Amino acid sequence: MIVAIVGAGNMARGIGTRAAVGGHAVRLHDRNKAKAVDLAAALSEATPGAEVTAVDADAAADADIVVLALPHPAGRDTAAAWAGNLAGKTVIDISNPVDFTTFDSLVVPSGTSAAEQIAAAAPDSRVVKAFNTTFAGPLTTGEVAGRPLDVFIAGDDDTAKQAVSGLVASAGLRPLDVGPLRRARELEAFQFLHMASQERLGLNWSSAIAILP
């Protein structure tokens, strides 16, 4: 598959690494093109033989999956601006709508989620929530304590969820379908608690969710 990643931060690095390891072609786009170019070079070096390139704003044109590796509300705003190009595409939202200044609350109204807002902004796309419960460091390596990371997947389109599950599995991770897109509300709230607890748990943002079989 062709996986387009919008953003060139730590999560883009993690997801891009996993996609490249899984044998997928990776397209990276960032409004700061130099960041996308640098990340593409780093991923290519880390995974010899991988097809990783930096692209312009037409990143979604030939992509099978578009990953919005952006914080909230940038993901929603990008989805709205790219709504036409995202029509018919499988779009992954990884964001957690957390108030990062206080870590005291989510910033979306009760009864909705960042993923659902993205779906409303790009109504002709097939939005899937995934990767929001994985931290960037463990995602880059793909495991914690020798165990593959679990990736919770929520969405209303079964074909889109199957495509995302295929991406996750090929990357050496374990996909877990948790139901319709509205389950993103619980996933975002759960990860908010996980993030807010890091200091108290002495984990310093380095842990990841893993469910024992």
Side-chain angles (χ1 to χ4, degrees), residues 90-108:
T90 295
V91 177
I92 298 177
D93 166 44
I94 74 163
S95 68
N96 289 296
V98 174
D99 184 340
F100 287 100
T101 62
T102 65
F103 278 103
D104 191 45
S105 65
L106 296 173
V107 295
V108 292

Side-chain angles (χ1 to χ4, degrees), residues 6 18 23 25 76 87 102 117 139 142 152 169 192:
V6 184
R18 291 294 98 213
R76 180 196 63 201
T102 65
Q117 290 188 358
L139 185 58
F152 299 114
F192 161 56

